[in-house]
C-alpha cells in the first residue's frame, strides 16, 4: 500500500510503471538498472496489472527524460533508506562479516560472492560493480590466509622449525626433498610397503607436531 501511494503521485502511466519497475529491481536485485525498462515483458505486464495499467505501450516514453529517472532513483533511495556501498561504515561492516566467514569456514569465492550479495540486499546497500566485490573478497581471503599462516608459523619451537626446514632440502645426488617423499605414502599392498608406512608415520610423529596447540586456529 505504501508503494502504491508513492507510485500514484507520478504523472502518466509510463512514469508510474517506470517508477514501479525501478523500485522492484532495486528491492529484489539490489541495484538500479542502466536501462530500467530492459526487463522481461512478463515482469512488466505483472507490475502493470498491479497498478491497473492494462496497456504498457507507452513505457518507452520513460526513457526520453533522464532527469525524471534520476529523480525517481533519488526518491526511492531516500524514502526506502538505501545506502551507498562506498560508505566507509557499510564497507567496513561487510568486510568484517566476510572476514569472519572466511576465517571460520572454507567457502568458495563464488559462494562468498553470493552470500555477500544477499547480505547487501538485506541491508539495503546498493550493489557495487562485479569487479569491486570480487576484488574485496579476494583481498579478504588473502588476509585470512596470511593470518592462518602467521599463527601456524609461531607454533613450532626452534628445533621443530629446523627439522621442518630440513625436510625441504634436496640431498645431493637426488631429485626430491624428504618433504616430497613424505607427501606420498606407499602405493602397493605388501609387507615392505607396510614397514615403509610405519617408518614414515614414525618419522612424522617424531617431529612433535601433534603436541602443538592449534586451538587458536579454526579446524577448517
Amino acid at each position: 500500500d505504501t508503494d502504491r501511494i508513492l507510485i500514484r503521485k507520478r504523472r502518466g502511466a509510463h512514469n508510474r510503471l517506470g517508477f514501479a519497475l525501478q523500485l522492484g529491481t532495486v528491492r529484489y536485485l539490489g541495484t538500479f538498472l542502466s536501462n530500467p525498462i530492459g526487463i522481461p515483458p512478463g515482469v512488466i505486464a505483472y507490475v502493470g496489472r498491479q497498478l491497473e495499467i492494462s496497456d504498457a505501450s507507452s513505457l518507452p516514453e520513460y526513457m526520453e527524460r533522464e532527469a525524471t529517472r534520476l529523480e525517481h532513483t533519488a526518491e526511492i533511495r531516500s524514502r526506502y533508506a538505501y545506502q551507498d556501498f562506498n560508505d566507509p561504515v557499510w564497507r567496513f561492516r561487510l568486510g568484517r562479516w566476510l572476514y569472519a566467514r572466511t576465517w571460520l569456514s572454507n567457502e568458495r569465492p563464488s559462494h562468498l560472492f553470493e552470500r555477500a550479495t544477499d547480505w547487501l540486499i538485506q541491508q539495503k546497500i546498493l550493489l557495487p560493480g562485479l569487479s569491486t566485490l570480487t576484488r574485496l573478497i579476494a583481498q579478504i581471503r588473502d588476509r585470512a590466509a596470511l593470518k592462518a599462516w602467521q599463527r601456524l608459523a609461531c607454533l613450532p619451537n626452534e628445533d621443530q622449525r629446523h627439522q621442518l626446514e630440513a625436510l625441504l632440502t634436496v640431498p645431493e645426488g637426488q631429485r626430491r626433498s624428504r618433504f616430497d617423499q613424505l607427501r606420498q605414502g606407499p602405493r602397493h599392498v605388501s609387507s615392505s610397503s607396510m614397514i615403509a608406512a610405519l617408518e614414515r608415520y614414525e618419522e612424522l610423529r617424531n617431529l612433535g607436531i601433534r603436541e602443538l596447540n592449534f586451538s587458536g586456529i579454526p579446524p577448517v
Side-chain angles (χ1 to χ4, degrees):
D1 291 340
T2 302
D3 294 345
R4 293 175 189 273
I5 293 173
L6 191 60
I7 292 167
R8 274 198 290 266
K9 295 179 180 180
R10 315 301 125 189
R11 291 182 179 178
H14 63 285
N15 280 329
R16 291 195 295 275
L17 188 53
F19 187 97
L21 293 174
Q22 293 232 65
L23 176 58
T25 52
V26 75
R27 178 175 286 158
Y28 296 106
L29 301 182
T31 187
F32 292 105
L33 301 182
S34 57
N35 181 9
I37 66 174
I39 60 178
V43 176
I44 296 175
Y46 180 75
V47 175
R49 286 196 297 272
Q50 294 183 72
L51 301 178
E52 299 179 354
I53 299 175
S54 57
D55 184 9
S57 59
S58 64
L59 183 58
E61 296 180 29
Y62 187 67
M63 299 299 294
E64 294 178 0
R65 191 166 183 272
E66 183 181 10
T68 298
R69 299 197 304 274
L70 294 178
E71 289 173 6
H72 288 181
T73 58
E75 184 169 1
I76 291 171
R77 290 183 61 168
S78 175
R79 289 294 186 98
Y80 293 90
Y82 278 93
Q83 306 293 325
D84 191 85
F85 175 80
N86 291 317
D87 186 318
V89 173
W90 288 106
R91 197 179 178 98
F92 172 77
R93 288 185 61 184
L94 174 62
R96 184 175 59 181
W97 181 82
L98 281 171
Y99 187 84
R101 295 195 67 88
T102 304
W103 176 248
L104 296 173
S105 66
N106 191 29
E107 294 174 299
R108 299 187 307 275
S110 59
H111 190 220
L112 281 173
F113 186 92
E114 293 174 2
R115 297 300 298 270
T117 299
D118 292 341
W119 186 90
L120 289 168
I121 292 175
Q122 290 173 6
Q123 300 295 327
K124 289 189 174 182
I125 312 299
L126 296 177
L127 294 182
L130 176 68
S131 59
T132 300
L133 193 54
T134 301
R135 279 197 305 271
L136 177 62
I137 291 172
Q139 292 169 359
I140 289 176
R141 282 171 57 86
D142 288 344
R143 280 175 49 204
L146 179 61
K147 179 181 178 180
W149 287 118
Q150 288 175 336
R151 288 198 178 185
L152 284 168
C154 293
L155 296 180
N157 58 38
E158 196 66 26
D159 290 338
Q160 289 170 327
R161 287 199 187 102
H162 288 314
Q163 292 181 68
L164 291 170
E165 289 172 358
L167 294 177
L168 303 176
T169 304
V170 179
E172 188 175 349
Q174 297 188 22
R175 296 182 178 181
R176 302 168 61 203
S177 66
R178 185 57 183 154
F179 177 74
D180 286 332
Q181 296 171 14
L182 290 172
R183 289 176 64 189
Q184 297 181 355
R187 299 180 179 180
H188 305 289
V189 179
S190 65
S191 58
S192 59
S193 293
M194 176 63 75
I195 293 173
L198 291 172
E199 291 174 346
R200 174 172 174 267
Y201 172 75
E202 185 176 11
E203 184 175 352
L204 291 170
R205 187 180 62 178
N206 288 338
L207 293 173
I209 300 301
R210 296 184 64 178
E211 299 171 3
L212 303 179
N213 180 13
F214 293 96
S215 61
I217 301 173
V220 69

